[in-house]
Amino acid sequence: MQSNHIPLAERLRPRSLEEYIGQGHLVGKDGVFRRFIESNNVPSFILWGPPGVGKTTLASIIANSLERPFYTLSAINSGVKDVREIIDKAKKQRFFNTAPPFLFIDEIHRFNKSQQDSLLGAVEQGVITLIGATTENPSFEVISPLLSRCQVYVLKAMDENELQILLDRALTTDAELKTRGIEVVETNALFRFSGGDARKLLNILDIMAGAFEGSFTINDKTVTDSLQQNIAIYDKNGEMHYDVISAFIKSVRGSDPNAAVYYLARMLEGGEDPKFIARRLVILAAEDIGLANPNALLLANACFDTVHKIGMPEARIPLSEAAIYLATSPKSNSAYMAIDAALAHVRRDTNNRPVPLHIRNAPTTLMKSLNYGKDYRYAHSFEGNFTEQEFLPEGLEGTRFYAPGDNPQERTISERMEKWWKGKYGG
């Protein structure tokens, strides 16, 4: 067994953009972060992406490359006092024409309004350059004045090619692993358990290195067995967090209220932010229940607002109510599928098809002379508030993006569509 040592993820932490794996859209040849370093002109920004994709590392690389002070805070255990202390320190070290230090705040979405307000003045005056990191959509939890002063950059989970590069680097460059005679036979389980998370992959390698003496083989069985035998270690590092939220969402989607409440309890007992759970329920209500029960989104939104207002421990009750309601609701992803189908069509259809003349607005005499709005039929002027006319551009007539789901609510919608459009959107 291994003795205590620096974790592999820390031993392999990149020190420069050249060592950094992934996020080519940001750190590639023409990437914005390379331009930041070249110009020494870095605005405040927020890095938004899943865990283990290098948010902290990227912030550190930029600060080190520009040789600026780099202060770090975690939103989990820092408050307004900590923020003000760093701002005061930055003000005292401020000299004419010198670039401001960086303040990196991990999990910035967990800062409340007053904590975020305490940052505003320093960011506006250029006392600090703020770098926030979050796994959550910043527009949900970062206050508008602060968000408007920060660029937001989206980081993506690692794909298999990038995970393979990371694995190869770990086995060939790490001083400890490269002496162990590790043979890689299969990577399916390793990459699956990693889930695009670099830190998780390296933690799994650490667990395996500790489970075997000398050389060992990486295959699907050895990876699975090592994780099952060392699940406590795996969980202690917080890596199970995203597995539990995944199980929660899939239990609700799969209409199992008992499993949903069980995973909800695990998250709450583990100290999960109840607003994080409430946000997931709002997304789930739209994505998975959708038009089968439109009230689900209303209830999920009400739960989200209530959780914001009352906090824990009482927030557990509306969260439970919403989770059970969504789990026991009929399911449909038809709205989700419809918008994705329409977006996919728009992205590949480069014709920029003109809007039919009869449904264009005609606020000027010139537009009217060009037949804008001519022959448009105002639906409310017809029986049943419907009259058949073409709304899609030429060449897309009859294209169907929305397919009603097989549930009572959408069967009614389907019947209505058939009555109105007489098979035009059938199939």
Side-chain angles (χ1 to χ4, degrees):
M1 295 289 290
Q2 289 173 293
S3 58
N4 289 332
H5 65 292
I6 299 170
L8 178 61
E10 188 58 38
R11 301 202 303 269
L12 286 184
R13 187 179 291 277
R15 310 296 175 195
S16 67
L17 290 185
E18 284 64 40
E19 295 178 3
Y20 192 90
I21 299 172
Q23 316 310 328
H25 61 298
L26 298 177
V27 304
K29 182 180 178 183
D30 299 316
V32 64
F33 287 101
R34 287 191 182 273
R35 295 201 297 274
F36 284 166
I37 292 172
E38 290 166 3
S39 66
N40 195 16
N41 182 19
V42 186
S44 291
F45 62 89
I46 294 174
L47 299 171
W48 170 28
V53 294
K55 297 185 288 293
T56 304
T57 298
L58 195 50
S60 178
I61 287 173
I62 290 172
N64 289 338
S65 298
L66 298 177
E67 298 181 338
R68 290 200 214 168
F70 184 63
Y71 302 111
T72 65
L73 291 176
S74 170
I76 296 174
N77 49 32
S78 302
V80 172
K81 181 174 177 288
D82 302 289
V83 173
R84 286 178 177 159
E85 284 178 358
I86 289 177
I87 291 172
D88 288 343
K89 189 181 295 185
K91 285 179 178 176
K92 290 173 183 175
Q93 296 174 348
R94 196 178 186 188
F95 298 101
F96 178 72
N97 218 23
T98 58
F102 291 103
L103 171 56
F104 177 75
I105 300 180
D106 196 17
E107 299 197 73
I108 193 170
H109 61 277
R110 293 201 178 204
F111 259 9
N112 60 33
K113 184 179 183 299
S114 65
Q115 290 169 316
Q116 293 182 38
D117 280 338
S118 68
L119 293 163
L120 265 178
V123 172
E124 285 177 336
Q125 297 160 22
V127 175
I128 58 164
T129 298
L130 175 66
I131 304 178
T134 176
T135 56
E136 297 299 303
N137 188 330
S139 61
F140 280 127
E141 291 300 329
V142 177
I143 59 173
S144 296
L146 188 58
L147 193 59
S148 68
R149 290 162 177 79
C150 297
Q151 299 289 327
V152 176
Y153 298 103
V154 180
L155 279 68
K156 305 171 185 175
M158 282 190 169
D159 60 30
E160 286 199 2
N161 289 334
E162 290 162 345
L163 290 173
Q164 184 67 57
I165 293 170
L166 179 61
L167 174 62
D168 292 342
R169 179 179 294 176
L171 298 181
T172 58
T173 67
D174 180 68
E176 186 169 326
L177 292 186
K178 68 182 182 180
T179 66
R180 295 285 298 273
I182 302 168
E183 181 185 12
V184 180
V185 176
E186 293 173 309
T187 56
N188 290 336
L190 178 61
F191 291 170
R192 186 175 70 251
F193 283 117
S194 299
D197 182 328
R199 185 172 57 249
K200 189 177 280 192
L201 183 143
L202 296 176
N203 284 347
I204 294 171
L205 287 180
D206 243 350
I207 289 170
M208 295 187 72
F212 296 97
E213 295 287 348
S215 63
F216 61 91
T217 299
I218 294 176
N219 57 38
D220 294 349
K221 185 177 187 307
T222 55
V223 169
T224 304
D225 289 349
S226 294
L227 290 183
Q228 288 174 345
Q229 292 165 12
N230 292 275
I231 198 69
I233 301 172
Y234 201 46
D235 199 18
K236 198 189 329 180
N237 294 326
E239 304 297 343
M240 290 292 286
H241 161 85
Y242 289 92
D243 295 334
V244 175
I245 189 64
S246 174
F248 173 67
I249 291 168
K250 287 170 182 170
S251 297
V252 177
R253 181 183 295 142
S255 302
D256 188 336
N258 298 297
V261 171
Y262 165 75
Y263 288 116
L264 173 61
R266 278 188 57 176
M267 287 188 290
L268 293 176
E269 190 64 18
E272 182 57 80
D273 182 357
K275 290 178 289 186
F276 169 81
I277 303 170
R279 279 193 297 271
R280 286 292 182 271
L281 288 172
V282 173
I283 296 165
L284 195 148
E287 180 177 337
D288 292 304
I289 286 87
L291 292 165
N293 178 10
N295 286 330
L297 184 56
L298 300 178
L299 187 136
N301 267 305
C303 173
F304 182 77
D305 290 341
T306 304
V307 167
H308 266 265
K309 290 172 184 172
I310 67 174
M312 287 293 285
E314 290 82 0
R316 74 190 190 283
I317 304 167
L319 284 170
S320 177
E321 179 183 350
I324 293 170
Y325 183 84
L326 298 186
T328 56
S329 283
K331 305 296 187 295
S332 172
N333 68 347
S334 60
Y336 166 57
M337 298 298 287
I339 187 59
D340 279 5
L343 285 169
H345 182 94
V346 167
R347 287 164 184 156
R348 68 173 180 268
D349 183 4
T350 57
N351 293 327
N352 197 21
R353 299 173 188 270
V355 172
L357 285 173
H358 67 282
I359 57 171
R360 294 190 196 184
N361 195 26
T364 69
T365 303
L366 174 61
M367 289 177 173
K368 288 177 182 175
S369 72
L370 294 172
N371 292 330
Y372 281 33
K374 184 181 179 182
D375 298 327
Y376 169 64
R377 300 174 188 174
Y378 184 58
H380 297 290
S381 298
F382 294 83
E383 184 180 352
N385 303 311
F386 174 82
T387 180
E388 187 170 352
Q389 58 188 320
E390 186 58 62
F391 294 96
L392 283 168
E394 184 177 350
L396 294 183
E397 299 91 338
T399 302
R400 181 184 183 188
F401 298 110
Y402 167 60
D406 185 16
N407 56 76
Q409 184 81 17
E410 288 188 278
R411 280 196 286 274
T412 302
I413 293 174
S414 185
E415 290 167 4
R416 191 182 304 130
M417 292 285 288
E418 178 61 29
K419 177 184 174 184
W420 284 340
W421 295 102
K422 299 178 177 61
K424 178 179 179 180
Y425 293 116

